[in-house]
Amino acid sequence: MRESRRVIPRRRVLQAGAVALGLPWFESAANSTRRTPLRMLMICQDLGFIPALFSPTGEGRDYKASPYLELLARHRERFTVFSGLSHPEVDGSHKSDQSFLTSAPHPGRLSFRNSISVDQVAASEIGHLTRFPALPLAVNQPKSLSFTQSGVEIPAIESAAALFRKMFLQGDREAVEREVTRLRHRGSVLDAVSRQARDFQSRLGSRDQRRLDQYQTAVRDLENRLADQREWERKPKPQTSLEIPTDPPTKYDYIRKLDLMYRMAGLALETDSTRLVTLFIAGTVTPGLTLPNGKQYPWYHGLTHHSMDEGKLTQLEEIEIEHMSMLGDLLGSLDSVEEEDGTLLDNTMTLYGSNLSDANIHDTRNLPIILAGGGFRHGRHLAYDLDNNTPLCNLYVSMLQRLGVETDQFGSSTATLAEL
């Protein structure tokens, strides 16, 4: 699936000496010294974990892994586990998932207005380099973790088959031109709407002026996206010998859907279709599920409200073990792809966590967070104050800086996580 290209060794280019000064700069020579791009994969599982089975003991490199972290033992040197991170003022029970990548406060209030998500901050800097500036994905609910500058939710792709077609299937010339025309028409409609808004802007009060400003910002964002889409539409898509996946038919196929979406996320990053992927795993709306061992479980969300009932806890533990095992498989899959500088895992900051630490009591403090790959110093438990949590956005700023985004602030951040 990677593009085959003959690379001229850098040494040979240098040996040409003065002759090389008179030649144009060849792409194949540039590739011989180019570093592999960094990516970011951010995953939110919306029902948390049983805290006693997730949280490690001890700190630093000598921490004692919890039963769940033992399932990731083969990757121990490739990830960091955190405790004492959360978003200040993000409450709202299950609605807190809206703020997982934004940190916008009080998502449960009627007056709630979201803000830009961290992946979209990154997309504003590097999104133009790939066919898809960012890919918001979801399992079992078309709900996104990604939000624009004005706090508008960017629709998520829930179908693995639809995502595969978007990434790999190229239409014929007529189909491509029809799509370009459609995108151009959508752009012209937005232009007309923007002109109409400007015509009556002076007659609005200050509150409506702010709303109009937010609307116009959203329109400008969309115009830029449409322009980028038109440019990429005529470029050939990467090729693959894989067949289009078949989407499992119901929400009960939760595990199969998640496995497929993990595979699609990996393909998107490996083929450089995008460098930014978010994935929302919606357990809250999952009516029931079947594990690979054939065991069937009732309403997943209901099990998280176990009130310490041993039967429910046992079933919930088995589901959460499957989650951690699948995360281990995902990290292994990324690590199996060799690249110019290490592996795909080495070049992908992979964040896995939840907007809830304990769904039994809807706790949004001390979130379960793991960061793997991406070139950070791993193999440790970074433990922060469990009573006075460090903003999770401090980690996000560190990730943005690692991507090359020049910023020292995002959301509720107060600093970076220098320990990384």
Side-chain angles (χ1 to χ4, degrees), residues 304-343:
T304 65
H305 295 289
H306 46 72
S307 300
M308 304 310 293
D309 177 90
E310 289 297 329
K312 289 183 177 180
L313 279 168
T314 298
Q315 291 180 315
L316 182 60
E317 180 181 348
E318 291 176 335
I319 294 172
E320 292 179 354
I321 284 174
E322 185 63 27
H323 269 297
M324 296 303 290
S325 297
M326 293 180 74
L327 174 60
D329 291 343
L330 171 65
L331 299 182
S333 175
L334 296 176
D335 200 37
S336 70
V337 179
E338 295 289 340
E339 297 195 306
E340 183 182 354
D341 301 309
T343 68

Side-chain angles (χ1 to χ4, degrees), residues 1-2 39-43 135 137 163-164 167-168 242 258-279 329-337 339 343-345 348 350:
M1 281 168 288
R2 287 181 230 152
R39 294 86 152 189
M40 192 160 66
L41 168 60
M42 309 187 83
I43 304 165
L135 276 178
L137 310 178
L163 176 57
F164 186 94
M167 289 196 297
F168 299 118
L242 299 176
L258 178 55
D259 178 63
L260 265 181
M261 206 54 87
Y262 277 163
R263 292 168 187 256
M264 290 300 103
L267 279 173
L269 296 170
E270 182 183 353
T271 58
D272 207 28
S273 296
T274 188
R275 296 175 188 172
L276 303 166
V277 177
T278 61
L279 173 58
D329 291 343
L330 171 65
L331 299 182
S333 175
L334 296 176
D335 200 37
S336 70
V337 179
E339 297 195 306
T343 68
L344 184 55
L345 178 60
T348 302
T350 306

